Amino acid sequence: MSRLLLTLVLCAASAAAHAAAKPCDELKTEIAAKLDAKGVKGYEIAAVENDKVGDAKVIGSCDGGAKKLTYVRK
């Protein structure tokens, strides 16, 4: 039981640390590559300050949670 709990805690900590450290440009490139591979056209992904999201759809956060990535169809 304690081994399972330790594994879960380590996995959660690892995932949180990995997500917090991702720069916006890197995450934006990864998401754009996935959309392009699926044939999605006519979109814009932008890194914006948290309070400047507006009506755009938020698809991720980056720079340690300081910014949000937004997705808008053109």
Side-chain angles (χ1 to χ4, degrees), residues 28-41 43 45:
K28 183 177 173 180
T29 301
E30 289 175 12
I31 292 172
K34 290 178 184 179
L35 292 172
D36 292 344
K38 291 182 178 187
V40 177
K41 304 274 188 227
Y43 66 88
I45 298 173

Side-chain angles (χ1 to χ4, degrees), residues 8-60:
L8 290 174
V9 169
L10 289 176
C11 286
S14 174
H18 179 66
K22 189 150 302 219
C24 290
D25 289 338
E26 182 180 335
L27 184 57
K28 183 177 173 180
T29 301
E30 289 175 12
I31 292 172
K34 290 178 184 179
L35 292 172
D36 292 344
K38 291 182 178 187
V40 177
K41 304 274 188 227
Y43 66 88
E44 181 180 345
I45 298 173
V48 298
E49 299 295 325
N50 289 335
D51 59 345
K52 307 263 194 267
V53 171
D55 293 335
K57 180 178 181 179
V58 175
I59 58 172

Side-chain angles (χ1 to χ4, degrees), residues 1-20:
M1 177 73 169
S2 64
R3 183 177 240 177
L4 176 62
L5 181 60
L6 177 60
T7 301
L8 290 174
V9 169
L10 289 176
C11 286
S14 174
H18 179 66

